């Protein structure tokens, strides 16, 4: 029996071959919080019947079912590939580096058609019995990554899903020895794409990638369930850099509204040879929206520069993930 609290909970994920069709989880994530739930739309009959003072329970119907919510977790050195693929859209095969145990995944921005996940939650009763909630057809609608001075690299991923299936067998969770990426491994660089140099004074970074989709595709003949969401707007990339005013680089970019390439990376322990555990986001073009530095007291001048990620006409944003994972 499991512990009858959140200590006994589990999250497992698997890539689906067909949108909304359950696939037994093969990857188990260590998470900090989740809010993935079944949402239902109901309609209640309001027909008048002589003398009836309360609506009939038999006249309430479920007209639509769907799943929504988020998953919060630390970004770790193994097992993140399925989430990154569902976010970015490219079908990725890890590439072995030379003859080492290091494998590189490059997740380039693409359409997310066909990239859905089964997410199976194990939720413990106080008795220690763990209940199954298998959420199918889960599509990533946005993900935000953040890290601040003294902290770990965190991710919050939002999902839209098709349905909740409570009739599946709960998979037995297993975990490999994973380590989180953290501030001590963090570097921030800016400049010409491919030749970026270090930005000094950065204390905190946040980046958000939003994947707008038509999530309201409820049609007749579908038993109250939606069809796979379709991209219906431009991808939105945004973020912020909190920095002490040690150089004018970001301030000058705000003034000129010039574009720069931005690299945000975490380089961990060596895997083998010259290959290290790595998580890296590259935005080939960003523009700084605000805020120029202001003096509001005796302390070190500090500001938060908000930025927008854009297309440079040649290079799309991408996420690189170096680990020992031989499969996504």
């Amino acid at each position: 029996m499991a512990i009858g609290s959140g200590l006994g909970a589990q999250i497992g994920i698997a890539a689906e071959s067909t949108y909304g069709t359950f696939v037994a989880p093969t990857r188990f994530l260590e998470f900090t919080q989740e809010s993935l739930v079944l949402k239902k739309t109901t309609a209640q009959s309001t027909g008048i019947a002589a003398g009836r003072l309360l609506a009939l329970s038999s006249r309430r119907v479920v007209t639509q079912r769907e799943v929504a919510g988020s998953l919060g977790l630390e970004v770790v050195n193994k097992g993140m590939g399925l989430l990154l693929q569902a976010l970015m859209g490219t079908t990725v095969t890890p590439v072995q580096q030379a003859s080492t145990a290091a494998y590189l995944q490059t997740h380039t921005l693409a359409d997310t058609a066909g990239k859905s996940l089964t997410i199976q939650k194990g939720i413990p009763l106080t008795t220690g019995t763990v209940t199954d909630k298998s959420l199918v057809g889960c599509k990533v609608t946005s993900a935000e990554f953040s890290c601040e001075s003294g902290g770990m690299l965190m991710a919050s991923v939002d999902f839209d899903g098709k349905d909740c299936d409570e009739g599946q067998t709960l998979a037995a969770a297993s975990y490999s020895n994973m380590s989180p990426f953290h501030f001590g491994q963090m570097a921030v660089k800016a400049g010409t794409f491919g030749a970026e140099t270090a930005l000094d004074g950065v204390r905190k970074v946040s980046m958000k990638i939003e994947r707008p989709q038509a999530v309201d595709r409820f049609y007749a003949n579908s038993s109250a369930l939606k069809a796979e969401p379709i991209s219906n707007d431009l991808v939105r990339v945004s973020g912020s850099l909190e920095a002490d005013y040690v150089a004018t680089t970001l301030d000058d970019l705000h003034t000129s509204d010039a574009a720069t390439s931005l690299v945000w990376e975490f380089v961990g322990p060596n895997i083998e040879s010259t290959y290290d555990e790595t998580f890296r986001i590259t935005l080939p073009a960003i523009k700084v929206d605000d805020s120029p530095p202001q003096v509001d007291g005796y302390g070190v001048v500090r500001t938060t520069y908000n930025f927008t990620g854009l297309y440079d006409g040649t290079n799309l944003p991408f996420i690189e993930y170096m680990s020992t994972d031989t499969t996504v």
Side-chain angles (χ1 to χ4, degrees), residues 94-104 270-275 322-324 326:
V95 177
Q96 186 178 18
Q97 304 300 289
S99 299
T100 70
Y103 287 78
L104 176 63
N270 182 255
I271 298 173
E272 191 176 343
S273 183
T274 59
Y275 304 105
M322 184 90 75
S323 72
T324 57
T326 58

Side-chain angles (χ1 to χ4, degrees), residues 29-274:
L29 303 174
E30 298 181 18
F31 65 103
T32 56
Q33 64 83 28
E34 62 84 18
S35 61
L36 293 159
V37 294
L38 170 69
K39 296 173 61 180
K40 60 186 182 183
T41 301
T42 62
Q44 176 69 56
S45 171
T46 56
I48 297 172
R52 184 184 297 154
L53 299 179
L54 192 64
L56 287 172
S57 65
S58 61
R59 300 285 291 277
R60 173 168 148 160
V61 293
V62 177
T63 59
Q64 293 177 351
R65 292 165 60 92
E66 59 186 316
V67 167
S70 65
L71 179 65
L73 68 166
E74 299 162 358
V75 178
V76 293
N77 64 338
K78 298 177 185 177
M80 300 296 298
L82 283 178
L83 284 180
L84 296 176
Q85 181 172 262
L87 167 65
M88 299 299 285
T90 300
T91 300
V92 172
T93 300
V95 177
Q96 186 178 18
Q97 304 300 289
S99 299
T100 70
Y103 287 78
L104 176 63
Q105 300 176 27
T106 303
H107 298 268
T108 304
L109 188 69
D111 188 24
T112 58
K115 298 297 187 296
S116 61
L117 301 172
T118 293
I119 303 178
Q120 188 180 62
K121 301 197 311 181
I123 305 177
L125 298 170
T126 55
T127 59
T129 299
V130 183
T131 63
D132 158 62
K133 292 187 183 296
S134 295
L135 311 168
V136 296
C138 294
K139 303 264 295 182
V140 175
T141 56
S142 72
E144 184 168 11
F145 302 92
S146 62
C147 185
E148 61 185 329
S149 178
M152 294 181 181
L153 174 59
M154 304 298 296
S156 178
V157 186
D158 295 327
F159 295 92
D160 173 88
K162 183 176 183 179
D163 198 13
C164 178
D165 180 354
E166 298 184 1
Q168 300 294 336
T169 300
L170 186 68
S174 62
Y175 304 93
S176 57
N177 185 20
M178 296 177 282
S179 299
F181 290 104
H182 58 83
F183 183 79
Q185 303 165 333
M186 188 172 93
V188 183
K189 304 174 183 178
T192 303
F193 177 74
E196 299 89 351
T197 58
L199 277 178
D200 197 9
V202 177
R203 300 175 52 87
K204 180 179 179 179
V205 180
S206 176
M207 285 188 189
K208 187 172 187 179
I209 301 172
E210 299 175 79
R211 306 304 309 258
Q213 295 164 65
V215 298
D216 58 351
R217 299 183 64 214
F218 292 95
Y219 304 142
N221 309 310
S222 59
S223 302
L225 302 176
K226 70 175 67 176
E228 180 178 359
I230 297 172
S231 297
N232 65 349
D233 202 347
L234 295 174
V235 175
R236 293 188 287 271
V237 180
S238 60
S240 63
L241 299 164
E242 180 185 294
D244 287 352
Y245 196 48
V246 301
T248 64
T249 304
L250 294 171
D251 188 17
D252 292 343
L253 287 168
H254 170 261
T255 301
S256 67
D257 203 41
T260 187
S261 176
L262 182 68
V263 174
W264 182 29
E265 69 179 9
F266 296 79
V267 178
N270 182 255
I271 298 173
E272 191 176 343
S273 183
T274 59

